Amino acid sequence: MFYFARLGDMVMVTRMLNLLHRRYGRPCQVIGTGSWTPGTYDGNPDVSETWTFHRHLPFMLDTAWRPVRRALRRSAPGPIYICERHYRQLPRIRRMLYLSGVDSGRCVFLTDRPERRSAQPTEHPVDRMVALGARTPANLRTADYPTPAAASLDGPRLYVLDSERAERDAWLRSHGLFGRELILVQPGNHRTMGPRRTRWRRLNSDDKWWPIERWAELLQRIHDARPNAVLLLRGSRQEQELLQEIQAASELPDVAMVVTTLRQLYALCEVASSMVAVDSGPAHAAAALSVPLAVLYGAALPLYWLPRSPSGSPVVGVGGPPTSWRADQVPVDPLFRAWCTVAAGTPD
């Protein structure tokens, strides 16, 4: 069982879910925060059940608390892996485990020292989580549960359901896009869809923000390179105004926009030829669905946060320390060249 808040983390941990499923012989049960937690693992053979907690509501007032407590007790003496590291959430998880009567010998923590602020990592989160999955709780014997070879592990990987494919294809047909090359563009991140998105933009304090005119220029250059492709701007409902601004600035008839749920995004990724995205959860989702991907970074280090593909599809990061600390310090040309690199093997 696990505990997550960020989409990118929940995507990256799927490699560890595969490891644990194979190691212990049973699919995992996942505890997370955020409304996207259940949908992230739909169709995943390494996950049997998911529960979602509100991130800030006291957990004992949450309707998920009683079934989770029962599941924690029922799963004894099985292992519990805790991947949370935030200074507010980790003590909360310890209280949940204590009030559920969980033997501490069943638990393995990613860290015993909660992190108050985001620190630059020293290893990729996927590697860190796989290393966690290779550890054994004190109440079990390591020799009884051998760790599969790293080369045999699958993921990070997401899955698309047949019903979602049918819905996607119907939408593409209704918009005259079925059968055309689709290039996805994800300009937003968690700040552009959050309740303070207007303030982030007004104060210019979002390190992942890229100016509208640069998105427009990038779209024009991609269109020149792939004139028969449809450039599909994608975002959440809260980002619709941002997408409209970029679409209008591009002045291109072959730039469309779509507001989707995460599951609908996964289905679109499955038929996209390539994607350009800001460093975000959707970028990790695209890589997990093997979309050739160019990622624009702000203050995060691409070395440690670059999305990973289960199939080896190309992923190229642009920007980030030490060359830049904000996305708006990155000109159009390097991101366009990164897209050219990842899209080189895709058909025109």
Side-chain angles (χ1 to χ4, degrees):
M1 295 193 179
F2 316 91
Y3 206 93
F4 285 101
R6 292 163 292 275
L7 174 62
D9 284 345
M10 291 190 293
V11 172
M12 289 186 286
V13 81
T14 56
R15 187 169 172 86
M16 186 174 86
L17 293 172
N18 181 254
L19 182 156
L20 294 176
H21 184 186
R22 297 174 60 186
R23 188 178 179 197
Y24 292 103
R26 294 183 181 181
C28 305
Q29 298 171 297
V30 178
I31 304 170
T33 59
S35 58
W36 49 73
T37 301
T40 301
Y41 302 112
D42 280 355
N44 191 322
D46 299 318
V47 178
S48 61
E49 289 184 271
T50 61
W51 291 273
T52 301
F53 275 94
H54 192 283
R55 188 158 177 81
H56 302 294
L57 182 73
F59 66 83
M60 294 186 71
L61 301 180
D62 199 308
T63 56
W65 165 236
R66 287 190 177 182
V68 165
R69 183 176 60 180
R70 285 195 298 269
L72 287 168
R73 292 175 174 175
R74 192 169 57 241
S75 65
I80 301 175
Y81 288 80
I82 299 94
C83 302
E84 184 60 75
R85 58 184 181 272
H86 192 271
Y87 75 100
R88 288 181 177 172
Q89 299 302 325
L90 198 51
R92 185 184 186 207
I93 294 169
R94 291 185 182 278
R95 288 194 297 272
M96 291 174 63
L97 295 171
Y98 174 77
L99 292 174
S100 299
V102 170
D103 175 10
S104 61
R106 299 172 57 195
C107 302
V108 184
F109 287 81
L110 180 66
T111 177
D112 293 321
R113 300 166 61 183
E115 299 171 5
R116 179 169 290 271
R117 62 183 63 184
S118 181
Q120 292 292 7
T122 57
E123 59 182 327
H124 197 283
V126 171
D127 297 330
R128 191 178 181 190
M129 291 175 189
V130 168
L132 171 67
R135 293 165 55 192
T136 308
N139 72 326
L140 299 176
R141 292 192 337 137
T142 302
D144 294 336
Y145 303 96
T147 303
S152 68
L153 298 178
D154 183 51
R157 186 185 293 276
L158 296 175
Y159 295 82
V160 178
L161 306 179
D162 287 341
S163 59
E164 294 165 339
R165 294 187 180 101
E167 179 189 357
R168 172 201 66 206
D169 291 347
W171 182 86
L172 290 172
R173 286 192 175 94
S174 69
H175 288 77
L177 303 178
F178 188 81
R180 296 188 63 182
E181 180 187 6
L182 297 180
I183 300 173
L184 292 178
V185 179
Q186 168 76 34
N189 63 82
H190 70 281
R191 296 181 186 122
T192 56
M193 64 177 290
R196 294 188 293 174
R197 56 189 178 276
T198 303
R199 184 172 182 269
W200 283 108
R201 186 168 176 179
R202 175 170 51 83
L203 297 177
N204 194 28
S205 51
D206 180 1
D207 66 273
K208 298 182 182 181
W209 172 263
W210 212 42
I212 300 294
E213 61 271 16
R214 292 190 204 168
W215 283 114
E217 182 182 344
L218 177 68
L219 291 172
Q220 290 163 358
R221 295 183 66 175
I222 294 175
H223 174 71
D224 290 342
R226 294 286 177 92
N228 296 320
V230 176
L231 311 183
L232 196 55
L233 287 164
R234 182 272 162 193
S236 66
R237 176 179 54 82
Q238 297 89 339
E239 294 168 321
Q240 186 168 356
E241 185 176 340
L242 169 64
L243 302 182
Q244 290 170 337
E245 286 185 69
I246 297 172
Q247 183 185 38
S250 74
E251 299 180 337
L252 291 170
D254 284 324
V255 171
M257 56 168 280
V258 60
V259 171
T260 73
T261 64
L262 284 173
R263 294 299 308 182
Q264 290 167 337
L265 168 63
Y266 302 165
L268 282 173
C269 284
E270 196 176 50
V271 294
S273 67
S274 59
M275 182 174 184
V276 179
V278 168
D279 171 33
S280 59
H284 286 276
L289 288 154
S290 298
V291 182
L293 176 68
V295 188
L296 175 64
Y297 282 86
L301 284 166
L303 177 65
Y304 300 116
W305 293 107
L306 194 69
R308 290 188 177 177
S309 163
S311 64
S313 58
V315 181
V316 176
V318 177
T323 58
S324 61
W325 283 261
R326 290 177 55 93
D328 59 15
Q329 294 173 334
V330 179
V332 173
D333 191 58
L335 187 55
F336 174 70
R337 283 189 279 108
W339 171 80
C340 290
T341 298
V342 302
T346 61
D348 293 337

